[in-house]
Amino acid sequence: MQVASNPDLIGGVYVLFLATVIRGGLALWVYRDSRLQERSGFWALGTFFLPQAFFPLYFWNQVPELIWTCPKCQRDNRAWSRKCGRCNQFYTAEETVARLHGYLNPSDPVVISLIASLFQEVARHIAILMAEGFELLTETDIVYTLPASHFWSVKLVVGNVLIWLSLFCITGRYRRTIRSVGLGYSGNITDFGLPLLLAPALAFISVGFMQGISWFSQEISLEGLGNLAQWEQQQWSNSMPESLGDGTLILLGFVMLILMPVGGEILFRGIAYIGFAGRFGQIKGMLFSALLFALFHGYIRSFVPLVLGGIPIFLMGLTLAWLYIRTKSLIPCILTHSLVNLILILVYWM
């Protein structure tokens, strides 16, 4: 059976299916937690219909369980206790409060991702209103038919939201230091050589995967698949500045090479991996954080963008999680992420 050549046709069906799966999964997550917490099932129903509002409100309205670590024996103790359960050392209330901190929860990266996507939608609609001569085509084309300067302004908003919400989650909600999630120098200078090896390989996989799908669609005469592949590549082209002298290139470079790598690595490696790994173990932590990393990049408009973009992004998420485990630092991850983006930009201009 031949695949339809209209991206919107396949895109509409796919978006409806994936949106239902994601909303149902989030609603089930809230329902199961609400049963344990003896809270109303209304939160699960609200999450299904308005996940960007009800899911963050449900989890971030809960006060996280905080603990304090005994400086003498390094045992973790509950917040209300003034006596260490291992060495029996007593501490004052002021001393325990000063040492309070919490464990990152798997719900936190999802909450931040949903809030960031909400800000993206608001910023996108504002950009549409501000774009002179903007012509509304179809719902699936809105993001990509914006002028490049407006498109990257929206991404600027999203990048800032990611960074500040992630830092609030770490330092405000759980009272941890940024170094506790690896935002600091690991002390091993050889770790900085890994990004130079990994980044070209990851960029090659991304570009090669897209070219491979285009070649495959031509070889077996899947015209619809080939048209969808060309359509996806065109969306990337529409968001790029018209020339190297375009001032938008500075905005693009700041977002792609600094803002998004920093915000993305703090969220998906510093929070998501730690949260998932702490609950489900290292392997599942890598898989779940990589999956969330791929979903956040927005490859949900049609099946082909999922294949072309989602799989390489998922593999990149796994690689960056491995790098984070190996180096115990976010700095090499940020450098790798930034170098991959730089290579992809250079490939476009070649």
Side-chain angles (χ1 to χ4, degrees):
M1 181 176 66
Q2 189 175 22
V3 181
S5 59
N6 183 2
D8 295 335
L9 179 62
I10 296 180
V13 175
Y14 178 72
V15 167
L16 179 62
F17 170 76
L18 187 58
T20 302
V21 171
I22 293 176
R23 288 168 181 260
L26 294 177
L28 180 62
W29 188 344
V30 171
Y31 174 75
R32 295 182 63 179
D33 190 83
S34 65
R35 294 290 298 272
L36 295 175
Q37 302 292 335
E38 297 183 350
R39 302 180 69 180
S40 171
F42 168 77
W43 287 101
L45 183 63
T47 297
F48 183 82
F49 290 102
L50 291 172
Q52 292 170 314
F54 280 85
F55 190 92
L57 285 173
Y58 176 81
F59 280 103
W60 275 21
N61 268 339
Q62 298 182 25
V63 178
E65 181 180 3
L66 300 178
I67 60 175
W68 59 273
T69 303
C70 176
K72 183 177 180 180
C73 67
Q74 300 302 309
R75 175 189 170 89
D76 291 334
N77 300 275
R78 295 188 178 274
W80 49 263
S81 175
R82 301 290 176 263
K83 178 182 177 181
C84 177
R86 175 181 296 167
C87 65
N88 296 323
Q89 179 70 36
F90 279 94
Y91 296 92
T92 65
E94 291 77 12
E95 288 175 325
T96 56
V97 168
R99 296 188 176 94
L100 284 177
H101 64 278
Y103 292 111
L104 297 170
N105 194 289
S107 65
D108 293 311
V110 181
V111 167
I112 295 173
S113 298
L114 289 172
I115 295 176
S117 66
L118 178 61
F119 270 86
Q120 176 171 276
E121 287 301 305
V122 173
R124 180 170 70 91
H125 283 87
I126 293 175
I128 290 174
L129 295 175
M130 295 179 61
E132 297 181 1
F134 176 80
E135 182 178 356
L136 181 62
L137 298 178
T138 65
E139 181 63 26
T140 53
D141 287 332
I142 287 178
V143 172
Y144 301 107
T145 52
L146 278 173
S149 59
H150 291 69
F151 177 86
W152 292 109
S153 295
V154 172
K155 296 302 181 183
L156 179 69
V157 172
V158 176
N160 276 285
V161 171
L162 283 183
I163 290 177
W164 293 113
L165 279 180
S166 298
L167 291 178
F168 165 76
C169 178
I170 296 168
T171 62
R173 182 168 169 78
Y174 292 101
R175 302 189 185 187
R176 298 162 64 105
T177 65
I178 58 175
R179 292 190 66 89
S180 69
V181 297
L183 198 59
Y185 176 47
S186 63
N188 188 352
I189 195 171
T190 60
D191 293 342
F192 291 92
L194 290 174
L196 299 177
L197 299 175
L198 294 175
L202 291 171
F204 175 79
I205 291 173
S206 180
V207 175
F209 211 94
M210 296 179 69
Q211 296 298 326
I213 290 293
S214 298
W215 174 84
F216 180 75
S217 64
Q218 295 174 3
E219 287 296 313
I220 63 174
S221 301
L222 283 179
E223 181 182 354
L225 183 59
N227 290 342
L228 281 169
Q230 294 175 6
W231 175 79
E232 174 64 15
Q233 293 174 358
Q234 184 62 40
Q235 313 317 309
W236 169 252
S237 299
N238 290 343
S239 66
M240 297 296 285
E242 295 181 359
S243 66
L244 292 176
D246 194 330
T248 307
L249 189 62
I250 299 177
L251 179 60
L252 180 153
F254 178 71
V255 172
M256 290 286 285
L257 304 183
I258 299 177
L259 205 60
M260 284 302 185
V262 172
E265 293 313 306
I266 295 176
L267 175 59
F268 295 109
R269 256 56 67 182
I271 296 179
Y273 169 74
I274 291 178
F276 285 121
R279 179 68 62 87
F280 305 110
Q282 187 178 95
I283 300 300
K284 290 183 179 180
M286 293 176 64
L287 292 173
F288 291 154
S289 62
L291 179 61
L292 185 62
F293 181 58
L295 289 175
F296 181 80
H297 278 72
Y299 295 100
I300 62 173
R301 295 183 177 275
S302 70
F303 175 75
V304 169
L306 173 71
V307 175
L308 296 181
I311 291 179
I313 293 295
F314 178 76
L315 294 176
M316 179 176 172
L318 288 178
T319 303
L320 290 172
W322 169 84
L323 182 62
Y324 179 58
I325 295 170
R326 186 189 187 284
T327 63
K328 298 181 176 59
S329 174
L330 288 175
I331 304 302
C333 300
I334 292 172
L335 290 175
T336 303
H337 195 154
S338 183
L339 285 173
V340 170
N341 288 349
L342 176 61
I343 293 172
L344 293 177
I345 293 173
L346 294 177
V347 168
Y348 170 80
W349 287 109
M350 289 176 60

